[in-house]
Amino acid sequence: QVRLVESGGGLVQAGGSLRLSCAASGSIFSINAMRWYRQAPGKQRDLVAHITRGGSTNYSDSVKGRFTISRDNSKNTAYLQMNSLKPEDTAVYYCNIDFVDNYRYARNSWGQGTQVTVSS
C-alpha cells in the first residue's frame, strides 16, 4: 500500500502564492518521477509540472515562470510553489508518482487532490 497526502491548497487572491506538498509513504523502495496535475470543473486533467529523481523539471506553458516544482528525496515529498496566481489556476491539484515498491515492481500512484481557488 502506498499513500500520497497532498496539502497546502486553499483560497488566495489573484497575484498571491501557495505552496503545495505531496508526501508519499508506504511500500516504497524508490521514487522516480513526481508530477503535479490539475483538473478544473468540466475539464480534463492536465499535467502542470514534472520532476525526475535527479531534479530535472518540465512545466506546462501556462505555468512556466510562475510555478516551481521541487522534491526532497529523503522525505519522499514533492512541492509545488505557485506564485503570481491567476483565477484560471483554480482547480483541484493532484500529485502523481512513478515508483518502485518494496517487491521491486514499477508502479504509479495518485493522491486524493487538493483544491486551489484563486479569486479575482
Side-chain angles (χ1 to χ4, degrees):
Q1 280 281 38
V2 171
R3 187 181 182 206
L4 300 184
V5 177
E6 295 129 330
S7 60
L11 174 63
V12 65
Q13 288 188 332
S17 297
L18 285 173
R19 188 191 194 212
L20 306 183
S21 297
C22 169
S25 61
S27 178
I28 297 173
F29 176 72
S30 67
I31 299 176
N32 298 319
M34 304 184 83
R35 307 175 188 89
W36 288 97
Y37 286 78
R38 67 185 181 187
Q39 187 168 22
K43 296 190 176 182
Q44 67 180 19
R45 190 173 297 188
D46 292 325
L47 179 64
V48 173
H50 168 110
I51 185 168
T52 66
R53 182 170 181 80
S56 296
T57 59
N58 278 295
Y59 300 92
S60 68
D61 288 342
S62 61
V63 307
K64 203 171 292 184
R66 299 188 297 121
F67 290 11
T68 302
I69 188 171
S70 60
R71 63 190 286 172
D72 184 335
N73 291 332
S74 69
K75 297 180 179 179
N76 285 344
T77 299
Y79 305 96
L80 187 67
Q81 178 66 44
M82 305 185 295
N83 298 329
S84 303
L85 282 161
K86 304 175 181 180
E88 51 263 44
D89 294 318
T90 296
V92 178
Y93 284 70
Y94 295 92
C95 180
N96 174 263
I97 65 170
D98 291 332
F99 67 100
V100 177
D101 68 16
N102 286 335
Y103 299 97
R104 305 303 188 264
Y105 288 110
R107 297 180 60 193
N108 182 273
S109 184
W110 289 90
Q112 82 287 351
T114 185
Q115 176 70 46
V116 171
T117 303
V118 185
S119 63
S120 56

